[in-house]
Amino acid sequence: MPEPVPVTMSATLAADEELTRRREAGEQVLALASGEIGLPVLDALRMRLAAAAHRNAYGPVAGSPALRTAAAGYWQRRALATDPALVVAGPGSKPLLFALMLAIGGDTVVPVPSWVSYATQARLAGARPLPVPTPPGQGGVPDPDALREAVTRARAAGRTVRGVIVTLPDNPTGTIAHPDTLRRLAEAARDLDLVIVSDEIYCDLVFDPADSAAAPAAGVPCGSTAVPPPALSPAHFAPERTVVTTGLTKNLAVGGWRTGIARLPEGDLGRALHTRLTAVASQLWSSTAAPVQDAAAWALTEPAEVRAYVTAARRLHERVVTAAADRLAAAGARLAPVRATCYLYPDFEDLRTHLRQAHHVDGSDDLAALFARRWGVGLLPATAFGEDTRPLRVRIATSRLYGDTEEQQNTALTAADPLALPWIKAALDRLEEVLDLLTTTTARPAATARPAVAARA
């Protein structure tokens, strides 16, 4: 009997649980590990969900006609013409991505670094991830030349490679791949006959150059038709073979509602994928929760309230993550310019000698463990994103710094200067204090050093 596929707890969820345990034990913690967006639900969206609570039927596996039509309109406004008949909804983008791997079949090219679940999901689907590094400063998309070489070698060794997954904008780095990189990716995918799965869950959180640092975060004017500037999708370059996924988890901060949506390409490939994906979905989840579908269908039409909320959230993310980036850079960490989301992926390589001598740190697991054990700062090591143990990179997420109560979060969302709010200022000051301790602590005798253990907090 074959052995079960090894599965570990999602690094982000494990970190959340560990930080909660430590907080409940009375410890001082700074939550920088989870990408959950710590903002309240938009009132109008909450009312839509409540009004649909009576809906208790399964409904179509692919999603309600209203939801699929609204999703098609959402993509149409982003210059991606979409047939509602080729839209499939699922209970969160995570199970939807897993179902897509099952539907596509074969091994999947996974960028390094990349979101914590891609590689594990490929294994759970009975395949193997094929890791390919991303170009510097262009996280989320594997280097097209390296992809060609890796797929060619893998196929020569007898492997069946059918898909490549990308993230735009990227988690963990907060960067966006250049259009030319996407063009070259599309050419490689076409030459190699690969299906591109583009995870665009952060698409609405690309920082807008029009949002100056001093701009108030109260939202766009009522009735505005403005749409946030998206990251360019590979579907613009390879429309016949690109699947696009998104959801409401990040832009509208409703992770607990679990809804994801996939846009399949036109043509024979898209129709075949639709047949297989809906068959997989029928066996895995039957249908997405009907009340959530109703609320999502309304949100995807992007009425003025939704646009205002997303604009305010995007500005808040930019102010706070930029402030954190400034503190990391001042401490000597290398950072690519962050253009979206709430994520930072600092590299402490320039401090390697000091970190080894003062803290007995030699890799990202050691570094994350040090932050967690000594100072109660939860972040994730580069190993959680598919890198090896040597790099001194960690991922930091600032999305939980907006307040512990709904009142604080609403205040942060509408504040002209969120960095002046006491709870956000205190969190950033604590980060600065910890970084100062990290960089100024002198070497300790090895005998007094605690062993460095891999941490998921």
Tab-separated table of all heavy atoms in Angstrom, residues 191-227:
chain	number	residue	atom	x	y	z
A	191	ASP	N	5.016	27.324	-26.567
A	191	ASP	CA	5.950	26.390	-27.195
A	191	ASP	C	5.953	25.031	-26.484
A	191	ASP	O	6.131	23.990	-27.121
A	191	ASP	CB	7.368	26.968	-27.184
A	191	ASP	CG	7.511	28.185	-28.099
A	191	ASP	OD1	6.627	28.401	-28.956
A	191	ASP	OD2	8.507	28.918	-27.935
A	192	LEU	N	5.779	25.058	-25.163
A	192	LEU	CA	5.841	23.832	-24.366
A	192	LEU	C	4.472	23.220	-24.114
A	192	LEU	O	4.369	22.190	-23.442
A	192	LEU	CB	6.523	24.135	-23.018
A	192	LEU	CG	7.984	24.585	-23.085
A	192	LEU	CD1	8.429	25.178	-21.756
A	192	LEU	CD2	8.880	23.421	-23.489
A	193	ASP	N	3.430	23.874	-24.626
A	193	ASP	CA	2.049	23.418	-24.434
A	193	ASP	C	1.702	23.287	-22.943
A	193	ASP	O	1.217	22.253	-22.476
A	193	ASP	CB	1.800	22.087	-25.148
A	193	ASP	CG	0.307	21.761	-25.246
A	193	ASP	OD1	-0.518	22.707	-25.161
A	193	ASP	OD2	-0.028	20.573	-25.398
A	194	LEU	N	1.944	24.377	-22.197
A	194	LEU	CA	1.616	24.424	-20.778
A	194	LEU	C	0.367	25.275	-20.554
A	194	LEU	O	0.160	26.283	-21.240
A	194	LEU	CB	2.769	25.039	-19.975
A	194	LEU	CG	4.104	24.303	-19.974
A	194	LEU	CD1	5.148	25.128	-19.223
A	194	LEU	CD2	3.966	22.912	-19.357
A	195	VAL	N	-0.430	24.889	-19.572
A	195	VAL	CA	-1.536	25.724	-19.109
A	195	VAL	C	-0.997	26.662	-18.034
A	195	VAL	O	-0.322	26.221	-17.091
A	195	VAL	CB	-2.678	24.876	-18.527
A	195	VAL	CG1	-3.800	25.775	-17.990
A	195	VAL	CG2	-3.226	23.921	-19.580
A	196	ILE	N	-1.262	27.954	-18.172
A	196	ILE	CA	-0.865	28.933	-17.158
A	196	ILE	C	-2.036	29.140	-16.206
A	196	ILE	O	-3.157	29.414	-16.640
A	196	ILE	CB	-0.487	30.282	-17.802
A	196	ILE	CG1	0.653	30.120	-18.801
A	196	ILE	CG2	-0.115	31.302	-16.722
A	196	ILE	CD1	0.920	31.370	-19.625
A	197	VAL	N	-1.780	29.000	-14.916
A	197	VAL	CA	-2.771	29.352	-13.902
A	197	VAL	C	-2.263	30.606	-13.214
A	197	VAL	O	-1.229	30.585	-12.550
A	197	VAL	CB	-2.976	28.218	-12.881
A	197	VAL	CG1	-3.973	28.650	-11.806
A	197	VAL	CG2	-3.464	26.954	-13.582
A	198	SER	N	-2.987	31.711	-13.402
A	198	SER	CA	-2.555	33.000	-12.859
A	198	SER	C	-3.401	33.351	-11.641
A	198	SER	O	-4.584	33.688	-11.752
A	198	SER	CB	-2.694	34.092	-13.931
A	198	SER	OG	-2.182	35.324	-13.460
A	199	ASP	N	-2.795	33.245	-10.475
A	199	ASP	CA	-3.458	33.561	-9.208
A	199	ASP	C	-3.381	35.077	-9.011
A	199	ASP	O	-2.339	35.614	-8.663
A	199	ASP	CB	-2.740	32.813	-8.085
A	199	ASP	CG	-3.343	33.056	-6.704
A	199	ASP	OD1	-4.275	33.880	-6.597
A	199	ASP	OD2	-2.869	32.432	-5.747
A	200	GLU	N	-4.520	35.748	-9.214
A	200	GLU	CA	-4.547	37.214	-9.171
A	200	GLU	C	-5.401	37.731	-8.014
A	200	GLU	O	-6.078	38.754	-8.116
A	200	GLU	CB	-5.022	37.741	-10.532
A	200	GLU	CG	-4.086	37.310	-11.655
A	200	GLU	CD	-4.478	37.794	-13.048
A	200	GLU	OE1	-5.368	38.671	-13.152
A	200	GLU	OE2	-3.887	37.298	-14.031
A	201	ILE	N	-5.319	37.031	-6.882
A	201	ILE	CA	-6.108	37.378	-5.709
A	201	ILE	C	-5.745	38.771	-5.177
A	201	ILE	O	-6.559	39.426	-4.533
A	201	ILE	CB	-5.924	36.307	-4.613
A	201	ILE	CG1	-6.941	36.456	-3.485
A	201	ILE	CG2	-4.514	36.325	-4.055
A	201	ILE	CD1	-8.321	36.012	-3.830
A	202	TYR	N	-4.523	39.243	-5.471
A	202	TYR	CA	-4.083	40.561	-4.994
A	202	TYR	C	-4.191	41.643	-6.071
A	202	TYR	O	-3.665	42.742	-5.897
A	202	TYR	CB	-2.632	40.482	-4.508
A	202	TYR	CG	-2.422	39.518	-3.368
A	202	TYR	CD1	-1.925	38.239	-3.595
A	202	TYR	CD2	-2.737	39.869	-2.057
A	202	TYR	CE1	-1.753	37.335	-2.559
A	202	TYR	CE2	-2.565	38.983	-1.013
A	202	TYR	CZ	-2.074	37.713	-1.271
A	202	TYR	OH	-1.911	36.830	-0.234
A	203	CYS	N	-4.870	41.334	-7.160
A	203	CYS	CA	-4.884	42.228	-8.315
A	203	CYS	C	-5.386	43.633	-7.979
A	203	CYS	O	-4.907	44.618	-8.527
A	203	CYS	CB	-5.747	41.609	-9.410
A	203	CYS	SG	-5.844	42.566	-10.919
A	204	ASP	N	-6.344	43.739	-7.068
A	204	ASP	CA	-6.915	45.049	-6.753
A	204	ASP	C	-6.102	45.826	-5.720
A	204	ASP	O	-6.494	46.936	-5.338
A	204	ASP	CB	-8.349	44.894	-6.244
A	204	ASP	CG	-9.291	44.397	-7.328
A	204	ASP	OD1	-8.947	44.548	-8.518
A	204	ASP	OD2	-10.351	43.846	-6.986
A	205	LEU	N	-5.002	45.252	-5.268
A	205	LEU	CA	-4.191	45.911	-4.242
A	205	LEU	C	-2.858	46.402	-4.801
A	205	LEU	O	-1.878	46.523	-4.075
A	205	LEU	CB	-3.970	44.970	-3.053
A	205	LEU	CG	-5.251	44.535	-2.336
A	205	LEU	CD1	-4.927	43.638	-1.148
A	205	LEU	CD2	-6.069	45.745	-1.872
A	206	VAL	N	-2.830	46.687	-6.100
A	206	VAL	CA	-1.662	47.332	-6.700
A	206	VAL	C	-1.704	48.804	-6.335
A	206	VAL	O	-2.725	49.471	-6.508
A	206	VAL	CB	-1.678	47.175	-8.232
A	206	VAL	CG1	-0.493	47.899	-8.860
A	206	VAL	CG2	-1.668	45.703	-8.613
A	207	PHE	N	-0.597	49.314	-5.819
A	207	PHE	CA	-0.572	50.702	-5.373
A	207	PHE	C	-0.763	51.637	-6.557
A	207	PHE	O	-0.154	51.466	-7.620
A	207	PHE	CB	0.748	51.006	-4.655
A	207	PHE	CG	1.000	50.120	-3.466
A	207	PHE	CD1	2.288	49.788	-3.087
A	207	PHE	CD2	-0.051	49.609	-2.719
A	207	PHE	CE1	2.531	48.974	-1.992
A	207	PHE	CE2	0.170	48.786	-1.619
A	207	PHE	CZ	1.467	48.466	-1.264
A	208	ASP	N	-1.606	52.623	-6.375
A	208	ASP	CA	-1.950	53.571	-7.421
A	208	ASP	C	-1.016	54.772	-7.339
A	208	ASP	O	-0.966	55.444	-6.306
A	208	ASP	CB	-3.409	54.013	-7.244
A	208	ASP	CG	-3.928	54.829	-8.416
A	208	ASP	OD1	-3.104	55.318	-9.210
A	208	ASP	OD2	-5.155	54.975	-8.525
A	209	PRO	N	-0.271	55.087	-8.410
A	209	PRO	CA	0.603	56.266	-8.371
A	209	PRO	C	-0.159	57.544	-8.066
A	209	PRO	O	0.420	58.515	-7.563
A	209	PRO	CB	1.201	56.308	-9.779
A	209	PRO	CG	1.090	54.919	-10.290
A	209	PRO	CD	-0.163	54.354	-9.684
A	210	ALA	N	-1.456	57.545	-8.343
A	210	ALA	CA	-2.252	58.748	-8.067
A	210	ALA	C	-2.514	58.933	-6.585
A	210	ALA	O	-2.904	60.013	-6.143
A	210	ALA	CB	-3.586	58.687	-8.817
A	211	ASP	N	-2.304	57.883	-5.801
A	211	ASP	CA	-2.512	57.982	-4.355
A	211	ASP	C	-1.226	58.485	-3.715
A	211	ASP	O	-0.327	57.714	-3.425
A	211	ASP	CB	-2.865	56.615	-3.753
A	211	ASP	CG	-4.216	56.129	-4.207
A	211	ASP	OD1	-5.013	56.959	-4.675
A	211	ASP	OD2	-4.479	54.924	-4.085
A	212	SER	N	-1.119	59.773	-3.487
A	212	SER	CA	0.082	60.320	-2.853
A	212	SER	C	0.089	59.939	-1.392
A	212	SER	O	-0.924	59.557	-0.812
A	212	SER	CB	0.113	61.839	-2.988
A	212	SER	OG	-0.898	62.425	-2.203
A	213	ALA	N	1.259	60.054	-0.777
A	213	ALA	CA	1.375	59.690	0.632
A	213	ALA	C	0.485	60.531	1.516
A	213	ALA	O	0.086	60.125	2.595
A	213	ALA	CB	2.834	59.820	1.079
A	214	ALA	N	0.164	61.718	1.061
A	214	ALA	CA	-0.652	62.596	1.890
A	214	ALA	C	-2.141	62.486	1.566
A	214	ALA	O	-2.963	63.152	2.177
A	214	ALA	CB	-0.214	64.049	1.703
A	215	ALA	N	-2.492	61.639	0.590
A	215	ALA	CA	-3.892	61.566	0.187
A	215	ALA	C	-4.743	60.991	1.301
A	215	ALA	O	-4.355	60.016	1.941
A	215	ALA	CB	-4.018	60.705	-1.059
A	216	PRO	N	-5.915	61.545	1.573
A	216	PRO	CA	-6.793	60.979	2.586
A	216	PRO	C	-7.277	59.616	2.156
A	216	PRO	O	-7.411	59.339	0.965
A	216	PRO	CB	-7.945	61.983	2.660
A	216	PRO	CG	-7.943	62.662	1.337
A	216	PRO	CD	-6.509	62.718	0.909
A	217	ALA	N	-7.528	58.751	3.107
A	217	ALA	CA	-7.916	57.375	2.804
A	217	ALA	C	-9.409	57.156	2.946
A	217	ALA	O	-9.859	56.082	3.285
A	217	ALA	CB	-7.155	56.418	3.724
A	218	ALA	N	-10.195	58.168	2.704
A	218	ALA	CA	-11.628	58.041	2.898
A	218	ALA	C	-12.318	57.351	1.734
A	218	ALA	O	-13.481	57.013	1.815
A	218	ALA	CB	-12.241	59.424	3.105
A	219	GLY	N	-11.637	57.115	0.621
A	219	GLY	CA	-12.233	56.393	-0.484
A	219	GLY	C	-12.490	57.280	-1.678
A	219	GLY	O	-12.329	58.496	-1.632
A	220	VAL	N	-12.902	56.661	-2.775
A	220	VAL	CA	-13.182	57.416	-3.978
A	220	VAL	C	-14.521	58.110	-3.846
A	220	VAL	O	-15.363	57.699	-3.060
A	220	VAL	CB	-13.184	56.493	-5.210
A	220	VAL	CG1	-11.844	55.863	-5.407
A	220	VAL	CG2	-14.251	55.410	-5.078
A	221	PRO	N	-14.755	59.189	-4.586
A	221	PRO	CA	-16.023	59.880	-4.506
A	221	PRO	C	-17.169	58.966	-4.904
A	221	PRO	O	-17.036	58.096	-5.750
A	221	PRO	CB	-15.872	61.032	-5.519
A	221	PRO	CG	-14.405	61.183	-5.719
A	221	PRO	CD	-13.816	59.837	-5.512
A	222	CYS	N	-18.300	59.144	-4.244
A	222	CYS	CA	-19.476	58.351	-4.547
A	222	CYS	C	-19.810	58.489	-6.029
A	222	CYS	O	-19.854	59.592	-6.571
A	222	CYS	CB	-20.656	58.808	-3.703
A	222	CYS	SG	-22.133	57.804	-3.948
A	223	GLY	N	-20.036	57.365	-6.685
A	223	GLY	CA	-20.396	57.398	-8.092
A	223	GLY	C	-19.216	57.339	-9.029
A	223	GLY	O	-19.386	57.270	-10.236
A	224	SER	N	-17.983	57.333	-8.493
A	224	SER	CA	-16.814	57.255	-9.366
A	224	SER	C	-16.803	55.926	-10.110
A	224	SER	O	-17.205	54.903	-9.594
A	224	SER	CB	-15.533	57.385	-8.535
A	224	SER	OG	-14.407	57.076	-9.308
A	225	THR	N	-16.332	55.940	-11.331
A	225	THR	CA	-16.227	54.707	-12.119
A	225	THR	C	-14.804	54.181	-12.156
A	225	THR	O	-14.496	53.281	-12.924
A	225	THR	CB	-16.704	54.954	-13.559
A	225	THR	OG1	-15.912	55.994	-14.139
A	225	THR	CG2	-18.171	55.348	-13.589
A	226	ALA	N	-13.937	54.753	-11.330
A	226	ALA	CA	-12.526	54.351	-11.346
A	226	ALA	C	-12.376	52.896	-10.937
A	226	ALA	O	-13.059	52.415	-10.033
A	226	ALA	CB	-11.714	55.243	-10.412
A	227	VAL	N	-11.495	52.184	-11.608
A	227	VAL	CA	-11.145	50.817	-11.265
A	227	VAL	C	-9.678	50.808	-10.878
A	227	VAL	O	-8.854	51.431	-11.546
A	227	VAL	CB	-11.392	49.857	-12.446
A	227	VAL	CG1	-10.847	48.471	-12.150
A	227	VAL	CG2	-12.874	49.786	-12.765
